[in-house]
Amino acid sequence: KHVTIESDLADEDSHRVHHRPRPPSHLEREIESASLAVGMGNSFLIKADEAFKDTHQRGKKPRFDGFSMRHWNDQTKQKYQKNAMVGGGVSEHTDRDEASLAMRLPPMTEAEIRAHDEADSLWMVVRGIVYDCTAWQRFHPGGEAILRACGGRDASEVYDFYHKWVDCAGLMAAYAVGRLAVWRD
């Protein structure tokens, strides 16, 4: 909330605080629109139904300098190196497919995943694997809004609607944090 302080003309030492709601930013409006498009109900599984497809068209959003796919690949390589140094995480060479990832990752419940639905901690499930998409938001060619709208939920259908041909595990394996304990295939 935006807070303004106005001094009282009768007594310069006293202050009154007036709370005025700040208007939503462009990104906040886009996130709200995307949230409506993906059917932000209580459902953990997001359906890519006709209403969703009609209201949320695929499109690229402008990215800031330093946040291209080339930069994402560099960041991912650094993440793999960090994982190797601490002796944990996934391997760049052996864990770039969903089957090998699933065997190495801890199971997570829907409740655990739902707790990560904010911009500063954004997890989502794609094909049974839980990915930490917090860093990916700034790089995502489709923008942050759709990722944030899917945060804390199973976005497999939405992912497949937009990116059926993209290997999510190959792109995001370094950021895999778990696997859905009970996954609906």
Side-chain angles (χ1 to χ4, degrees):
K1 300 244 184 226
H2 180 70
V3 176
T4 58
I5 298 177
E6 297 176 0
S7 61
D8 187 344
L9 296 176
D11 180 5
E12 290 185 19
D13 293 329
S14 67
H15 288 76
R16 289 179 296 174
V17 177
H18 298 279
H19 294 278
R20 291 186 197 139
R22 126 182 112 64
S25 71
H26 174 71
L27 180 60
E28 288 170 331
R29 285 190 304 272
E30 195 175 328
I31 291 167
E32 182 179 344
S33 173
S35 297
L36 293 172
V38 297
M40 292 297 287
N42 287 331
S43 175
F44 182 72
L45 177 65
I46 302 170
K47 295 285 190 185
D49 58 15
E50 290 305 315
F52 168 80
K53 294 173 186 176
D54 289 343
T55 58
H56 204 80
Q57 299 297 314
R58 184 172 193 260
K60 294 191 181 221
K61 306 288 184 202
R63 303 288 83 200
F64 295 105
D65 288 339
F67 294 99
S68 69
M69 289 304 293
R70 181 179 58 91
H71 293 104
W72 176 253
N73 289 335
D74 293 344
Q75 181 165 323
T76 301
K77 285 181 184 178
Q78 291 173 2
K79 177 78 168 163
Y80 281 126
Q81 290 169 351
K82 182 180 175 186
N83 288 348
M85 283 191 284
V86 297
V90 296
S91 164
E92 180 176 11
H93 304 292
T94 61
D95 293 324
R96 294 189 69 143
D97 66 83
E98 290 154 359
S100 59
L101 268 176
M103 290 188 313
R104 292 180 53 123
L105 296 169
M108 294 185 163
T109 65
E110 289 182 10
E112 289 174 292
I113 298 160
R114 280 184 184 266
H116 299 274
D117 65 349
E118 299 289 330
D120 62 345
S121 181
L122 189 69
W123 293 6
M124 69 181 62
V125 178
V126 176
R127 300 181 191 138
I129 305 296
V130 183
Y131 296 99
D132 181 349
C133 297
T134 308
W136 172 238
Q137 295 173 82
R138 296 171 298 182
F139 295 88
H140 184 241
E144 296 92 342
I146 190 68
L147 294 179
R148 291 184 188 172
C150 295
R153 299 170 67 193
D154 186 338
S156 298
E157 279 195 33
V158 173
Y159 184 88
D160 286 341
F161 173 68
Y162 286 118
H163 307 297
K164 185 77 172 166
W165 59 92
V166 178
D167 176 20
C168 188
L171 184 68
M172 296 291 296
Y175 293 88
V177 294
R179 63 182 164 81
L180 192 55
V182 178
W183 187 49
R184 301 167 275 287
D185 192 15

